[in-house]
Amino acid sequence: MPKILIIEDEKPDLILLDILLPKENGIFFLKKWREKEEFSLTPIIAFSNYDDQETKKEAFQFGVKTYLIKTSLTPKELVEIIKNYLK
């Protein structure tokens, strides 16, 4: 089952999106999710080691709340950031 269909079935409270994915990049999925009205307000956090300014800019244009660099965070810090968005 394509990943976007799984998300449609689950209706998550938050999406943690990696920008570097095996077949399509995270920006592709971000665009697709934002086309769907039911996901227009779902917070999306980009989480990647891809630290490209143009990609970050595009991610923010499609509504990511923040763009985190994996190597800059501990797992505990990531959990705290996610908890803050779910409050």
Side-chain angles (χ1 to χ4, degrees):
M1 174 181 288
K3 302 296 183 212
I4 198 140
L5 295 179
I6 292 170
I7 290 172
E8 288 174 358
D9 290 341
E10 296 295 321
K11 306 263 189 295
D13 294 323
L14 178 137
I15 298 170
L16 186 60
L17 174 67
D18 198 335
I19 297 301
L20 297 176
L21 300 171
K23 293 183 182 183
E24 298 287 348
N25 71 24
I27 300 297
F28 169 82
F29 285 103
L30 182 59
K31 290 176 186 177
K32 291 294 182 191
W33 288 324
R34 290 304 187 205
E35 289 173 359
K36 299 182 177 294
E37 188 175 325
E38 66 268 26
F39 296 120
S40 64
L41 298 177
T42 303
I44 298 176
I45 297 173
F47 183 61
S48 185
N49 276 330
Y50 193 60
D51 192 10
D52 173 68
Q53 292 304 315
E54 190 61 34
T55 301
K56 285 181 181 181
K57 180 180 175 184
E58 194 171 11
F60 282 110
Q61 287 174 338
F62 286 102
V64 297
K65 296 297 182 185
T66 190
Y67 192 111
L68 305 172
I69 303 300
K70 290 179 183 180
T71 56
S72 299
L73 296 168
T74 65
K76 183 177 181 177
E77 290 169 326
L78 177 60
V79 168
E80 289 304 314
I81 291 168
I82 291 170
K83 282 181 181 179
N84 286 329
Y85 278 101
L86 293 176
K87 288 182 180 177

